Amino acid sequence: MTLSGGDRRTTAMRDDSGVDAKSFEIPKRLIWEAWKRVAANQGGPGVDRESIEIFRNRLARNLYALWNRMSSGSYFPQPVKEVLIPKGDGQSRPLGIPTVTDRVAQMAVKLMVEPRIDAMFHSSSFGYRPNKSAHQAVMQVRKNCWRYAWVVDIDLKSFFDTIDHGLLTRAVEKHVAEPWARLYIRRWLESPVRKQTGEIVARDRGTPQGGVISPLLANLFLHYAFDRWVQTEYPEVPFERYADDVVCHCRTKQQAEKFLSALRERLTACGLSLHPEKTRLVYCKDGRRREEHLHTKFDFLGFSFHARTMQDREGKLFTGFGPAVSQKALTRMSQAIRSMSLNRSTSLTLRELARRLNPMVRGWVNYYGAFYPEPLKRFLIRIDLRLGGWARNKYKRLRGHKRRSWAWLKRCRESLPQLFAHWDFCFEERRTRGAV
């Protein structure tokens, strides 16, 4: 697709021949590729209330206008829209949602600069990076907990809201060669926030969660504030970092205390701080480690790490330290299922219920089922309690008969074992044993 037509007005200077002379050379193809990524990611509208679909209705004109303004230096982002996301502790996390136009502009810069910036990042930085995943981070944490008895569980207080613009700008200027990209990154950092009350609030620090460019800028900031500092000053301390979620490993409690003290000073110098209640030392207690400590478990990326009964390759049981779905994640999943009111959805058939449930459950299975799946299975089997309630409400012959509804549901499960995603996940091993 070519970016042509539409509003060709521009503030660019004209050369002697009368042809528009652009301040910056930005390929039109880059804007088109950026749009395709933004459209695939979907997302809601910003302060201008323009959705992906509305933007698409005048796509050529919108993309040409954006390219024209970015090339001439006259592009200025609109304020980001504040959206409050509830957290598990009763508080809210503020997200800043740019407009679709601004997301396309940010994606263009990201596509341009990310390959060379990402290439220098530490191998233990996993968050929002190409060819890196949360599962890789969790797997490395598990291995290091077997090798190191102590964990420094780090919680950066309001990280995205407190990033120092001056320090981040220095890092951007060092690694971003294109003047237009540096210019627009600075404008995005300075872009104000429109609160839910309608108030416009200026920002002198932070980069809003929800912006396309924010994860890359956050990783760049922490590359210098944390990753390189640990690598240089404490090379004996391995770590895993997923954006601002960080776990560090030490061999002794004394080493962990010394490291944590030095880290506080380092982060303070970078304008950051540790959450005083959520940052803690954790003892990875298992069947071999017998010391006593107040904290013997921690959460990371939705998984809870603590002592569990495990089975080795020979079938012998032992107490190991490893990950499984966290209680916080289970609570969120329970709330999601409860909000669907399955037992009252009697207008739907069983297959229609499955189509409604399965996308959500498959996501949980694919993510949380990757490590020690038994707690997740115990939770998902409880979905059948709601399906049993649905059956009793829908069919008169089952009304008031719990045992009869369970028997009916069991027959459905045996005849259609893959109808529900949690049936396939929870009972596959049982069916396999029965077939042998």
Side-chain angles (χ1 to χ4, degrees), residues 51-70:
S51 66
I52 293 286
E53 288 307 314
I54 294 175
F55 189 94
R56 184 183 278 115
N57 289 339
R58 303 176 68 185
L59 184 59
R61 179 168 183 162
N62 286 335
L63 294 184
Y64 179 84
L66 175 61
W67 169 82
N68 199 25
R69 287 188 290 133
M70 292 185 74

Side-chain angles (χ1 to χ4, degrees), residues 10 14 26 66 78 85 188 222 232 236 267 360 366 393:
T10 177
R14 292 177 178 269
I26 301 176
L66 175 61
Q78 296 190 62
I85 305 298
W188 289 320
L222 283 176
T232 302
E236 73 281 5
L267 294 178
M360 182 171 62
N366 291 338
N393 289 335

Side-chain angles (χ1 to χ4, degrees), residues 251-269:
R251 296 197 179 278
T252 66
K253 184 178 182 179
Q254 292 74 21
Q255 183 190 30
E257 290 173 337
K258 180 180 178 182
F259 172 79
L260 182 56
S261 177
L263 178 61
R264 281 198 180 94
E265 294 183 8
R266 169 62 180 177
L267 294 178
T268 299

